[in-house]
Amino acid sequence: MTAAAGALPEEFASALVLARDRLDVLGHRVLWYPDIGSTNDVAGALADQGGDEGLLVIADRQTAGRGRLGRSWASPPGAGIYASVILRPDAPVAMLLTIAAGVAVSEGIAAAAGLTVHVKWPNDVHVGGRKLAGILAEGAVGHVILGIGINVRPAVYPADLAARVTSIEAELGRPVDRGLVLAECLAALASRYRDLRNGDRRGVVDAWRQRAAPMLGRRVEWESAGTRHTGRAENIDEDGALIVTVGSGSLRIRSGEVRWL
Ligand code: BTN
């Protein structure tokens, strides 16, 4: 059973109101939970029941936060942004949505906090080699749930994670407004989503390449059918696949995990 939604805290409410004109339908309705399993699960259940595009679910803490590839997403209370939005894109838009979301979160963090971050394929957001934010896009018939996790404040993480993650405040050494970060990320997402619906895939891909520049041209490894492969990450194509050169040839990686060496 899902706990009842509560009143949206002022830090989020005021920032979303101020950004209202730049959000299109995103966040026209917001459900806030102090404590929830996963915002993606709540948003997914609402989408299955006909929930409108743009409906936003936010939590202060997740007890079963999920990451990509079956991993968990540590979601300590008050430390991050844990938000999921219902989108109902057409198929061609859906293909690049996960790429667009990584760009938008990077743009939102820069706009709200003045911190320059980079993206790692497909949409990990990181700074100085440490992960700062991640996106989990889960598709079903007729909708995509876009789950966004952003580490805003330093927190106690499991030991295996602590050395690999950072937060906006840890990077800047000053407090940051969580509401403003969320509002700017949503405004950037609304803008990039509009680009995709207008057929501007190139703008999204070019913006991703700029944000990913430090990672491109570097060696990567991945597994396929139980075998380890290495190559050089060169680019993404207009479907969001990673182009990797191996010897004199190249191949496209469409999903899964790639490790930077
Ligand atoms: C990743 O592995 O990088 C993706 C992490 C996505 C985490 C967010 S937090 C809000 C939403 N709810 C979840 O359970 N996961 C996503």
Side-chain angles (χ1 to χ4, degrees):
M1 200 178 89
T2 302
L8 187 63
E10 184 54 30
E11 65 176 320
F12 289 108
S14 54
L16 291 176
V17 166
L18 282 173
R20 192 173 40 199
D21 293 347
R22 296 183 291 135
L23 300 183
D24 295 345
V25 293
L26 305 190
H28 63 89
R29 189 175 160 221
V30 183
L31 294 179
W32 163 264
Y33 295 90
D35 204 317
I36 202 78
S38 160
T39 55
N40 263 38
D41 288 346
V42 175
L46 292 167
D48 287 340
Q49 294 159 26
D52 286 339
E53 179 162 73
L55 192 153
L56 182 68
V57 178
I58 320 177
D60 196 47
R61 169 182 186 239
Q62 295 184 118
T63 51
R66 288 200 306 281
R68 290 181 64 240
L69 307 169
R71 299 194 178 110
S72 61
W73 183 260
S75 312
I81 291 169
Y82 317 117
S84 301
V85 62
I86 298 176
L87 297 177
R88 297 192 179 277
D90 294 338
V93 168
M95 287 170 71
L96 264 188
L97 197 53
T98 180
I99 293 289
V103 171
V105 167
S106 306
E107 291 172 334
I109 290 170
L115 178 66
T116 301
V117 296
H118 295 108
V119 287
K120 216 185 228 184
W121 187 84
N123 54 22
D124 278 0
V125 174
H126 63 103
V127 55
R130 288 173 179 244
K131 187 153 168 173
L132 185 85
I135 290 136
L136 177 65
E138 295 183 310
V141 177
H143 70 257
V144 172
I145 304 302
L146 207 59
I148 298 171
I150 304 174
N151 303 332
V152 178
R153 298 176 183 141
V156 177
Y157 290 106
D160 60 323
L161 205 60
R164 293 185 284 118
V165 300
T166 187
S167 66
I168 300 176
E169 290 192 356
E171 292 300 318
L172 294 174
R174 63 172 170 81
V176 165
D177 184 329
R178 258 192 326 173
L180 186 61
V181 173
L182 176 64
E184 289 301 329
C185 287
L186 288 177
L189 180 62
S191 170
R192 292 296 174 186
Y193 189 42
R194 205 180 313 128
D195 289 347
L196 289 181
R197 281 181 318 207
N198 290 339
D200 181 11
R201 301 165 74 80
R202 167 121 331 247
V204 169
V205 168
D206 286 349
W208 186 92
R209 284 180 189 139
Q210 277 179 21
R211 293 270 169 197
M215 311 309 295
L216 297 178
R218 286 178 47 184
R219 286 182 63 71
V220 291
E221 70 172 8
W222 70 97
E223 271 173 36
S224 169
T227 307
R228 180 178 162 274
H229 303 270
T230 60
R232 199 171 296 280
E234 301 293 357
N235 219 331
I236 57 169
D237 66 17
E238 292 218 357
D239 292 332
L242 184 68
I243 311 293
V244 178
T245 52
V246 182
S248 58
S250 72
L251 53 84
R252 303 168 74 232
I253 301 178
R254 296 177 56 89
S255 60
E257 183 176 27
V258 167
R259 284 178 296 280
W260 262 256
L261 300 174

